[in-house]
């Protein structure tokens, strides 16, 4: 590459870079002999089609609207990746296989050639005075369906573990900060497992006076919840190979916690490092106990907590904290294990009540939390509608045979609305489409089902028309997709996730001191405050409200960070600078908080809306790789079989029939199919994602749902065989294919 060396010796000084000019970050490269130059980095989603333009002197250039933060990037010159020769700062890339150029855009809009963020502690919460800016925080709480309908038992413990660690306290924490309003997304598949299995099935066996579970009656009645409940209620000295699988042998076991979490429990960590052949009965008892204990929110370990349903939880008689780590106060007995199940029940039974207690009422304008939901089994809705839509954002990927069932996509929405209404007594106004996945085709499904707003990622906004609109405004899309038409009843408001800030909470702040992280968040938000006081800007932050916290190394479960953040936001609310707002408040107004109403059609229109998700503004996490495509073909084969048999589709809003009639089994066959349409199975296929305990349980879960479609149809009297290919793992080469 001769032009690289020419750049080093001949390029004029003005090319020291990147530079910030008139609100844009400018990239340049002197390469007179190059045929094409692209810049790819964090600021554009590592797109490989952002071509620079060459002038008559041989300098290629392009400018980008970039937000404050740390950015890695590289040039692609005639198809070959290279560092920026004008930037001396580089870091190892994400895979630690090479280097990327890096820079920091500070909060006062200066380019800093350094690799560390521009963050400083500010415990006094003193910030420069700015005009008002609105902040829309959405915490997404989701678990896929771990239900094996044939066994009538959940095959994973994760609804329970996150219930005791995250789902309760992420809502209850807000009570201390009444001027902080947020949105919490509770997916239907999560709510169903929480309510129908943990709460309803444990309640008859919970004795509030003794604070124990009646284990004898529980086993006599053959109750099924999840295998780890049985593990805690069964005497460890009677464990067989079956129970030992759930202790330490299976992919999901009692050591399935993050390294950060287990480091806080030295006795637990020592048991993990011990040779399993030398485990004693006491060791097995402690292992199962620690698996529960480590998944309790720190508030329950550090003092007494009164729950929203009136119960109290206090584990300080069992555990004590020394130098930031937890140690047992006593030898653990089987009675202690039983008690922990009782404490678990109390917390899980309070999850829905705490959300109801704090739920925002758009009519009365009371409450702090707008509760929304997601299509029932968390499907990638545009792909359920038509997998060929992936050709738009993934033109070079090989796709499976077309799967197109708009009626299934509609049923997933209807089911979630009906279940939400059953729990909360009203219909949701907003939805987070699974993984922020949207397309023009699914807009009408949301509109016709009464949904007023949805959310996705700003990378989708950047590719929608008109392109590259500011991310800090909501936009609307029309059901009829006719440009310029403004019908409030047929329109949908969309907000776009600030990628940089959302990902900072999920992936960057875990390595920060919590006060510095909270300050970094605030300074970022204030950097977008408008100069014009009449300009209403809305920054939207969306991420999991559960998975991030277990990786916070300098802050136990993210508690100090969240408290510091809410404290700062409360002060800035009082000063009129940052107003946390829910989308119901935004659309319908809240005079008590100085928020005026905003008609959906009063916003700028997008036409067309780009088809994509929060990841890469496409669907390549769920379709396009060989394993993913094969999973879609399996799903298509099963979907065609249920269609070929003309199995009546139940009303999506109806409950499971009580009697085991033909209609009962047909209902469960459809339910298993809908569950197999969930996004989580496809997420773990391919090379782009890897689970902590391995991908195998998800592969088994996906195929179990498909197999159960046939088993229920057989029980309903249909003459059909289970295809042999469904018994072969998708995670390796397969001979039997549909």
């Amino acid at each position: 590459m001769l032009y690289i060396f020419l750049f080093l010796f001949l390029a004029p000084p003005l090319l020291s870079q990147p530079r910030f000019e008139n609100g844009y970050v400018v990239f340049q490269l002197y390469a007179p002999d190059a045929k094409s130059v692209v810049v790819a980095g964090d600021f554009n989603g590592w797109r490989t089609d952002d071509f620079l333009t060459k002038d008559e002197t041989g300098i290629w250039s392009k400018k980008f609207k970039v937000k404050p933060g740390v950015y890695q990037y590289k040039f692609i010159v005639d198809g070959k990746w290279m560092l920026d020769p004008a930037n001396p700062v580089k870091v190892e890339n994400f895979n630690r296989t090479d280097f990327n150029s890096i820079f920091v855009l500070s909060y006062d809009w200066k380019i800093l050639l350094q690799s560390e963020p521009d963050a400083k502690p500010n415990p006094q919460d003193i910030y420069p005075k700015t005009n008002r800016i609105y902040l829309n925080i959405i915490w997404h709480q989701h678990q896929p369906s771990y239900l094996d309908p044939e066994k009538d038992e959940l095959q994973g413990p994760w609804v329970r573990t996150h219930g005791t660690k995250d789902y309760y306290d992420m809502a209850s924490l807000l009570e201390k900060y009444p001027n902080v309003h947020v949105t919490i997304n509770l997916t239907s598949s999560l709510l169903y497992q929480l309510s129908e299995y943990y709460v309803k099935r444990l309640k008859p066996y919970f004795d509030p006076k003794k604070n124990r579970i009646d284990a004898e009656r529980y086993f006599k009645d053959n109750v099924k919840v999840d295998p780890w409940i049985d593990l805690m209620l069964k005497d460890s000295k009677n464990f067989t190979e079956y129970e030992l699988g759930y202790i330490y042998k299976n992919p999901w076991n009692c050591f399935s916690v993050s390294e950060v979490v287990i480091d806080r429990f030295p006795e637990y960590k020592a048991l993990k490092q011990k040779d399993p052949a030398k485990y004693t009965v006491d060791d097995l008892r402690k292992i199962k106990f620690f698996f529960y204990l480590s998944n309790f929110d720190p508030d329950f370990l550090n003092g007494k907590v009164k729950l929203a349903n009136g119960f109290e939880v206090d584990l300080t008689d069992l555990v004590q904290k020394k130098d930031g780590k937890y140690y047992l106060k006593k030898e653990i007995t089987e009675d202690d294990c039983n008690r922990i199940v009782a404490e678990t029940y109390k917390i899980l039974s309070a999850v829905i009540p705490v959300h109801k207690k704090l739920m925002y009422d758009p009519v009365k304008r009371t409450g702090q939390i707008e509760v929304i939901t997601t299509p029932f089994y968390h499907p990638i809705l545009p792909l359920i509608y038509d997998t060929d839509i992936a050709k738009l954002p993934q033109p070079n990927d090989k796709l499976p045979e077309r799967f197109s069932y708009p009626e299934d996509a509609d049923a997933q929405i209807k089911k979630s609305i009906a279940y939400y209404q059953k729990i909360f007594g009203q219909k949701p106004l907003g939805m987070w489409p699974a993984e922020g996945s949207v397309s023009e085709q699914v807009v009408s499904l949301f509109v016709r089902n009464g949904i007023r707003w949805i959310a996705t990622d700003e990378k989708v906004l950047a590719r929608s028309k008109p392109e590259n609109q500011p991310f800090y405004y909501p936009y609307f899309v029309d059901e009829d997709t006719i440009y310029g038409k403004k019908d409030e009843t047929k329109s949908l408001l969309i907000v776009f996730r600030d990628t940089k800030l959302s990902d900072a909470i999920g992936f960057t702040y875990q390595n920060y001191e919590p006060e510095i992280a909270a300050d970094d968040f605030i300074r970022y938000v204030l950097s977008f405050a408008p100069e014009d006081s009449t300009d209403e800007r809305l920054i939207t932050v969306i991420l999991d409200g559960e998975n991030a916290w277990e990786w916070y190394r300098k802050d136990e479960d993210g508690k100090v960070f969240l408290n510091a953040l809410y404290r700062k936001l409360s002060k800035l609310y009082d000063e009129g600078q940052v107003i946390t707002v829910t989308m119901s408040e935004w659309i319908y107004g809240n005079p008590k908080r100085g928020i005026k109403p905003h008609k959906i059609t009063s916003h700028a229109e997008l036409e067309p809306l780009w088809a994509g998700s929060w990841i890469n503004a496409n669907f390549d996490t769920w379709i396009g790789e060989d394993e993913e495509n094969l999973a879609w073909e399996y799903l298509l084969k099963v979907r065609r079989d249920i269609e070929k048999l003309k199995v009546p589709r139940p009303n999506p809003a109806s409950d499971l029939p009580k009697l085991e009639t033909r209609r009962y089994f047909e209902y469960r066959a459809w339910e298993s199919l809908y569950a197999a349409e969930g996004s989580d199975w496809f997420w773990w296929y391919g090379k782009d994602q890897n689970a902590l305990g391995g991908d195998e349980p998800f592969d088994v879960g996906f195929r179990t749902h498909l197999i159960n479609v046939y088993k229920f149809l057989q029980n309903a009297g249909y003459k059909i065989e289970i295809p042999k290919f469904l018994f072969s793992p998708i995670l390796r080469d397969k001979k039997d294919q549909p």
Side-chain angles (χ1 to χ4, degrees):
M1 289 188 178
L2 177 60
Y3 45 80
I4 296 177
F5 297 103
L6 286 173
F7 171 87
L8 293 174
F9 293 104
L10 302 179
L14 63 87
L15 290 186
S16 60
Q17 67 156 41
R19 304 194 316 279
F20 189 78
E21 294 180 355
N22 300 319
Y24 291 87
V25 173
V26 180
F27 294 88
Q28 292 185 319
L29 180 70
Y30 180 68
D33 298 327
K35 295 180 180 178
S36 69
V37 176
V38 169
V39 63
D42 297 329
F43 47 84
N44 65 352
W46 290 91
R47 290 177 62 174
T48 57
D49 59 353
D50 263 331
F51 292 94
L52 279 66
T53 302
K54 184 170 68 171
D55 65 16
E56 64 279 0
T57 67
I59 296 175
W60 298 78
S61 61
K62 184 163 183 146
K63 62 182 182 180
F64 294 85
K65 276 283 187 184
V66 176
K67 298 173 285 185
V70 185
Y71 295 93
Q72 297 184 36
Y73 69 100
K74 264 187 171 180
F75 288 112
I76 309 173
V77 181
D78 292 342
K80 295 183 179 180
W81 292 80
M82 61 173 283
L83 293 169
D84 183 351
N87 182 353
V89 185
K90 64 181 181 180
V91 293
E92 281 188 310
N93 67 7
F94 309 110
N95 299 319
R96 297 184 178 179
T97 57
D98 199 356
F99 290 89
N100 293 333
S101 296
I102 190 168
F103 70 94
V104 173
L105 180 60
S106 70
Y107 295 102
D108 54 356
W109 305 102
K110 295 177 181 177
I111 296 289
L112 308 175
L113 296 185
Q114 59 190 53
S115 58
E116 294 299 319
D118 177 33
K120 299 178 180 65
N122 182 14
Q124 295 80 26
D125 305 334
I126 299 173
Y127 298 97
K129 186 67 177 176
T130 64
N131 284 322
R132 174 180 294 191
I133 189 165
Y134 294 91
L135 178 63
N136 175 31
I137 299 175
I138 302 176
W139 299 119
H140 171 56
Q141 313 287 35
H142 164 65
Q143 292 295 323
S145 174
Y146 299 109
L147 175 64
D148 182 335
E150 186 181 32
K151 295 180 180 178
D152 195 24
E153 181 182 48
L154 304 182
Q155 300 304 293
W158 313 121
V159 170
R160 171 177 54 75
T161 60
H162 286 291
T164 55
K165 192 178 74 67
D166 303 303
Y167 300 146
Y168 183 82
D169 80 287
M170 284 297 291
S172 66
L173 178 62
L174 288 158
E175 286 193 86
K176 295 196 304 186
Y177 307 97
N179 289 325
V180 176
H181 287 201
V182 307
T183 297
I184 294 181
N185 183 51
L186 297 173
T187 67
S188 301
S189 57
L190 164 62
L191 287 170
Y192 180 81
Q193 293 171 97
L194 175 73
S195 178
E196 301 296 324
Y197 282 81
Y198 290 106
V199 177
K200 287 186 178 180
R201 295 197 178 189
L202 287 175
K203 182 178 181 180
Y205 306 94
F206 170 65
D207 186 333
K209 293 182 179 179
K210 296 180 179 178
N211 197 29
R212 296 296 186 273
I213 299 294
D214 187 338
E216 182 178 353
R217 194 158 57 89
Y218 173 90
F219 285 118
K220 181 180 178 181
D221 292 347
N222 195 31
V223 179
K224 296 296 182 184
V225 182
D226 78 44
W228 289 268
I229 295 286
D230 294 359
L231 208 66
M232 288 294 274
L233 297 177
K234 184 174 182 178
D235 196 317
S236 303
K237 69 176 183 287
N238 298 324
F239 282 175
T240 66
E241 283 297 311
Y242 175 80
E243 283 83 18
L244 292 179
Y246 291 105
I247 290 286
Y248 66 90
K249 294 183 178 182
N250 297 343
W252 288 344
N253 58 58
C254 286
F255 290 115
S256 295
V257 298
S258 78
E259 61 188 53
V260 176
V261 169
I262 203 168
D263 278 344
R264 296 196 178 104
F265 297 84
E267 295 156 295
Y268 188 20
K269 186 175 182 179
L271 288 166
K272 183 178 182 180
Q273 294 171 339
K274 186 175 180 178
D275 181 357
K278 298 180 180 179
Y279 282 154
T280 65
V281 172
D282 287 342
D283 290 337
L284 298 176
R285 188 181 303 115
K286 286 181 181 177
I287 290 169
K288 69 180 185 180
F289 182 85
F290 270 120
F291 183 49
Y292 275 69
L293 193 71
S294 64
N295 281 295
F296 274 73
D297 183 78
D299 288 350
F300 301 124
L301 307 182
N302 297 326
K304 183 183 294 185
V305 177
K306 186 168 185 179
L307 302 172
N309 56 3
F311 291 129
E312 289 184 349
V313 176
D314 184 359
L315 302 178
T316 54
D317 62 315
L318 298 174
V319 64
Q320 59 186 336
K321 193 174 185 180
K322 295 180 182 178
D323 300 324
K325 298 183 184 296
Y326 291 97
Y327 298 87
L328 297 176
K329 280 187 173 180
K330 63 185 290 291
E331 284 299 315
I332 298 303
T333 66
E334 294 297 340
D335 185 63
D336 294 325
C337 294
N338 182 301
R339 174 189 162 187
I340 288 295
V341 178
E343 305 285 9
T344 296
Y345 164 76
K346 290 190 294 187
I347 297 169
L348 297 185
S349 66
V351 171
I352 292 175
V354 77
H355 286 84
K356 286 183 176 180
K357 178 182 179 181
L358 299 175
M359 194 168 178
Y360 181 75
D361 186 326
V363 177
K364 296 179 181 178
R365 271 88 169 184
T366 57
Q368 290 176 257
I369 300 173
E370 178 171 355
V371 179
I372 61 171
T373 192
T374 291
F376 200 94
Y377 284 108
H378 204 264
I380 302 299
L381 211 63
L383 297 182
I384 299 301
Y385 196 108
D386 187 353
T387 53
D388 276 3
I389 194 66
K391 291 178 180 178
L392 174 65
Q394 298 163 237
N396 299 318
D397 284 358
K398 179 183 177 183
L399 298 180
E401 186 177 353
R402 185 183 188 188
F403 182 99
S404 182
Y405 291 93
E407 61 271 33
D408 288 12
D410 185 59
Q412 295 271 5
I413 295 175
K414 282 183 165 62
K415 282 180 63 64
S416 67
I417 292 174
Y419 194 67
Y420 180 102
Q421 188 170 22
K422 179 180 178 181
I423 291 178
F424 295 107
Q426 60 190 59
K427 293 182 179 181
L429 292 172
M431 275 196 178
W432 166 247
E435 310 293 357
S437 297
V438 296
S439 68
E440 280 280 355
Q441 293 170 310
V442 302
V443 167
S444 62
L445 299 183
F446 288 116
V447 170
R448 293 173 191 177
N449 282 289
I451 298 302
R452 306 297 286 147
W453 68 272
I454 61 172
T456 182
D457 189 80
E458 65 173 296
K459 292 188 288 293
V460 173
L461 173 64
R463 292 161 174 76
S464 300
K465 300 293 184 181
E467 289 185 341
N468 299 314
Q469 295 300 297
F471 74 99
Y472 42 72
Y473 298 118
Y475 297 84
F476 88 92
V477 287
D478 222 80
E479 178 191 1
D480 294 336
T481 65
I482 299 174
Y483 189 79
K485 183 174 181 179
K486 292 189 176 184
D487 186 336
E488 190 77 7
T489 64
K490 295 183 178 181
S491 300
L492 189 68
L493 194 66
I494 305 184
V495 288
F496 293 89
R497 172 183 183 267
D498 184 313
T499 306
K500 190 73 181 175
L501 191 53
S502 302
D503 286 353
I505 298 175
F507 307 110
T508 304
Y509 292 161
Q510 61 187 236
N511 297 312
Y512 282 27
E513 293 294 339
E515 276 287 344
I516 291 180
D519 191 63
D520 184 80
F521 182 105
I522 295 297
R523 291 200 296 152
Y524 177 95
V525 171
L526 290 176
S527 71
F528 289 95
E531 294 183 7
D532 182 349
S533 62
T534 64
D535 186 2
E536 295 186 309
R537 295 184 177 183
L538 176 69
I539 290 182
T540 296
V541 174
I542 309 173
L543 72 151
D544 283 354
E546 49 189 326
N547 293 320
W549 317 124
E550 62 198 62
W551 296 99
Y552 270 49
R553 300 179 183 278
K554 299 180 180 181
D555 177 15
E556 188 179 352
D557 210 43
K559 301 296 292 220
V560 179
F561 165 72
L562 286 170
N563 276 284
L565 177 62
Y566 291 160
R567 184 192 76 231
K568 293 172 186 289
L569 289 173
S570 296
K571 183 173 185 288
L572 289 167
Y573 171 83
D574 291 338
E575 295 172 355
Q577 289 182 252
V578 179
I579 310 298
T580 54
V581 61
T582 73
M583 290 311 297
S584 290
E585 287 182 288
W586 180 268
I587 295 172
Y588 299 109
N590 187 350
K592 297 176 183 178
R593 304 181 74 227
I595 303 167
K596 72 177 188 180
H598 301 81
K599 288 182 64 176
I600 292 175
T601 52
S602 69
H603 300 80
E605 183 178 10
L606 298 177
E607 176 61 38
L609 176 68
W610 179 259
S613 73
W614 75 271
I615 301 179
N616 304 325
N618 61 26
F619 307 110
D620 65 4
T621 297
W622 304 274
I623 196 168
E625 291 186 273
D626 289 343
E627 288 181 359
E628 295 161 355
N629 291 345
L630 186 58
W632 280 103
E633 290 173 13
Y634 280 17
L635 180 63
L636 178 60
K637 172 65 168 64
V638 178
R639 184 63 178 80
R640 282 175 171 170
D641 281 349
I642 204 170
E643 189 172 37
K644 191 185 305 178
L645 292 171
K646 298 182 179 179
V647 182
R649 182 197 296 270
N651 180 347
S654 66
D655 292 328
L656 176 69
K658 290 185 170 27
L659 300 177
E660 292 191 0
T661 59
R662 180 184 178 98
R663 192 165 70 88
Y664 167 90
F665 290 112
E666 289 172 339
Y667 184 106
R668 299 200 72 173
W670 276 102
E671 207 66 19
S672 293
L673 178 77
Y674 292 145
E677 291 177 341
S679 71
D680 300 87
W681 324 115
F682 302 94
W683 172 283
W684 298 112
Y685 288 129
K687 298 178 181 179
D688 48 8
Q689 303 291 345
N690 292 291
L692 185 63
D695 298 347
E696 180 186 353
F698 292 97
D699 177 40
V700 172
F702 174 66
R703 290 184 292 106
T704 297
H705 285 305
L706 294 179
I707 290 168
N708 280 323
V709 172
Y710 293 94
K711 288 183 177 180
F712 288 129
L713 290 177
Q714 289 170 347
N715 289 334
Y718 291 91
K719 303 297 182 183
I720 190 168
E721 296 296 321
I722 302 175
K724 292 181 180 179
F725 65 81
L726 289 179
F727 296 98
S728 300
I730 293 175
L731 294 173
R732 61 171 188 243
D733 292 337
K734 280 69 63 178
K735 293 181 180 179
D736 296 318
Q737 295 189 10

